[in-house]
């Protein structure tokens, strides 16, 4: 189970790197669906709607002891807020999302942002 959790964190960071660079390995990223986006939640099978995120899910992910970080809790939340901030997320990520999922992805990202604000 711990290896699966550690792998989830690695995948999360890899997917954010791909979104930053516009490339996943040698492949350009485009036409992404919500199931390949890096959501801050360990049990992605429960991600069935934009409001599926709970404060507990996001907190468990952000503060998980297996997540490599020398940062304080506050720094961890701030780092995630920079990724999920609507202005940044909408400009950098939403353009890659398939058109028919954009609204739901935008709503889900907003939910993540609101939860991160509560965690601060």
């Amino acid at each position: 189970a711990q290896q699966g959790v550690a792998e989830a964190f690695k995948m999360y960071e890899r997917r954010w790197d791909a979104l930053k660079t516009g490339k996943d390995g040698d492949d350009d990223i485009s036409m992404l669906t919500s199931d390949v986006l890096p959501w801050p939640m360990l049990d992605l099978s429960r991600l069935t709607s934009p409001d599926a995120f709970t404060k507990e899910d996001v907190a468990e992910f952000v503060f998980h002891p297996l997540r490599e970080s020398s940062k304080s809790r506050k720094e961890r939340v701030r780092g995630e807020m920079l990724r999920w901030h609507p202005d940044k997320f909408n400009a950098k990520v939403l353009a890659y999302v398939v058109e028919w999922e954009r609204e739901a992805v935008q709503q889900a990202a907003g939910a993540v942002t609101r939860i991160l604000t509560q965690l601060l």
Side-chain angles (χ1 to χ4, degrees), residues 23-36:
K23 288 194 174 293
D24 188 8
D26 293 331
D27 300 324
D28 289 339
I29 59 170
S30 63
M31 304 302 287
L32 298 176
T33 54
S34 61
D35 60 333
V36 298

Side-chain angles (χ1 to χ4, degrees), residues 87-99:
D87 292 343
K88 205 169 228 182
F89 185 87
N90 293 348
K92 300 233 186 245
V93 178
L94 221 47
Y96 293 122
V97 176
V98 292
E99 195 172 327

Side-chain angles (χ1 to χ4, degrees), residues 1-6 8-9 41-42 56-69 71 73 76:
Q2 282 191 330
Q3 190 170 356
V5 170
F9 293 131
M41 187 173 176
L42 288 174
E56 292 74 25
D57 289 329
V58 176
E60 176 189 27
F61 188 91
V62 172
F63 303 130
H64 198 285
L66 287 179
R67 191 159 185 213
E68 295 174 29
S69 181
K71 297 176 180 172
R73 289 172 70 89
R76 288 184 189 203

